[in-house]
Structure formats: structure tokens, C-alpha cells
Amino acid sequence: MKRLQRLIRLSEYINNFKTPVSGLPALVSTAAADATSKLAHSSGFQLVAARPEERQSGGTDAFSSSISTAFFIVCPRLGAASTADKEDMLYLKALDIAEEIVGKIAEDAGSGNCDLLSGLSLSAVDIVPEASIFGGWMGYSIEITFDV
């Protein structure tokens, strides 16, 4: 297998990713400015996916490797119409969608039925609330790490 084949396959997986229930396709991006530009004419909840990166550690004879990526489930900030209740409802809805994303990835990685994730073992998931991300979008970031 080519050295970066797993990274290539994970990139393909992300490029074709859609949330199972909501059906949101991923807007794939490399930088926050690029994502902000892609979101400029969008409304409602959106899914942004970062291109994956590989981290290697160890010596020249042996190394361990992990691949990580991040998904962002975001919606426009409420602005002047904001109330604590409305904001809470949006964050809760974002968490519902985040649960879909994490569930799908965990199932695809653990089932052995997804060729694009073969050879990757889901090792960490970090979910963090975000405010004013991508120029005024709010929601959650989901950082996902796979061991190779």
C-alpha cells in the first residue's frame, strides 16, 4: 500500500460524506477563510469538513502515525434576534447532528464494511462548542483522530 493511501482514502470519504438523517453534504475546506467564503450564501445548518492531515512520530526505524480531521456543524449566529433559549435550541440541534456524524463515522470505521476507512482505527473524538466561527457561524467542532 502506498504510504499516503490511507490519507487519500480518508480524503475521498470526507469528500463524499453526508449526515445520515439530515442529509447535509460536507463542504470540504482547508482554511477558515475558504470555509467562510463557501458559507457566505448559505443559511440554516451546514457541515464543514477539514481536509485530513497525518501526524507521524517515532524514529527512522519505526514510527506511529495518526490521521485527524475535523467536522464543523454550524449555523448563522442569531444576531439581534438572539435570546438564551433560541441559542440553546440551536446548540442542541447542532449536537443532534454532531451525534449523527460521530455515529456514522464510528460505524463505518468499526464495521469493516467501509473500504475507504479500512486500516484506520477510530482513537479519539473531541466535541467543542464554537461561537463566531467562520465569520459569525456558531455550533460545534468535532475533531476525529484515527490510528493507522
Side-chain angles (χ1 to χ4, degrees), residues 22-92:
S22 305
L24 291 174
L27 302 169
V28 181
S29 182
T30 305
D34 179 46
T36 301
S37 175
K38 289 178 179 180
L39 291 169
H41 302 290
S42 300
S43 61
F45 281 95
Q46 300 295 316
L47 176 61
V48 178
R51 296 190 191 283
E53 60 186 21
E54 183 173 18
R55 294 188 177 104
Q56 299 177 4
S57 61
T60 56
D61 293 335
F63 65 91
S64 62
S65 180
S66 65
I67 297 176
S68 63
T69 188
F71 287 87
F72 301 85
I73 183 65
V74 294
C75 65
R77 294 201 60 177
L78 294 171
S82 180
T83 67
D85 287 343
K86 287 180 182 179
E87 188 172 299
D88 286 345
M89 287 178 55
L90 288 176
Y91 275 106
L92 288 172

Side-chain angles (χ1 to χ4, degrees), residues 9 13 104-120:
R9 288 196 327 253
Y13 178 83
K104 177 172 177 39
I105 292 169
E107 182 179 325
D108 289 348
S111 70
N113 294 330
C114 181
D115 290 340
L116 294 175
L117 297 183
S118 67
L120 298 177

